[in-house]
Amino acid sequence: MKTLAITRDEKNIRATVECADGVVSIYRNCAFCAYCKGVRIGDTFHVTPQEAALRNLSTGTAGDEALMNAAMQFNSLAASATAIECTDDQNTGFRSRYRS
């Protein structure tokens, strides 16, 4: 697993990381990437809420609303995050978390 430092713009609106695909938005790419396993806020690691929502989905206890809530929780965590934890050790780039 690798740690990708988050770079923010001067207005603290756009947050990006250097991915195998180039510089990508954590909100548009990392949130929906299967390789994203969590965010770092300082020294604390937080597992992405999408992981828990998908586990519940596979057992039949979650639905679209749970996935939407997980995405919003990710955005809240990412707003104060300093890094993304990524398992793309082969540098293959984005892989959808929700592919069928």
Side-chain angles (χ1 to χ4, degrees):
M1 186 165 357
K2 56 187 174 183
T3 303
L4 306 174
I6 296 174
T7 305
R8 298 185 187 277
D9 67 358
E10 60 278 348
K11 293 183 181 180
N12 206 25
I13 295 172
R14 183 173 158 92
T16 59
V17 293
E18 184 68 40
C19 176
D21 293 334
V23 177
V24 298
S25 167
I26 63 171
Y27 299 108
R28 279 191 235 142
N29 291 73
C30 298
F32 302 104
C33 183
Y35 294 121
C36 181
K37 296 303 175 194
V39 297
R40 287 218 170 265
I41 301 174
D43 292 335
T44 308
F45 173 74
H46 298 274
V47 175
T48 59
Q50 293 93 322
E51 290 288 319
L54 283 174
R55 277 194 298 273
N56 290 337
L57 186 64
S58 66
T59 61
T61 58
D64 292 341
E65 187 174 333
L67 292 174
M68 181 59 82
N69 286 336
M72 291 189 303
Q73 289 173 354
F74 177 86
N75 288 345
S76 295
L77 285 171
S80 55
T82 54
I84 296 288
E85 293 295 324
C86 178
T87 59
D88 183 16
D89 294 328
Q90 304 300 323
N91 286 326
T92 58
F94 178 82
R95 187 181 78 174
S96 176
R97 182 185 303 274
Y98 304 114
R99 66 184 171 152
S100 45

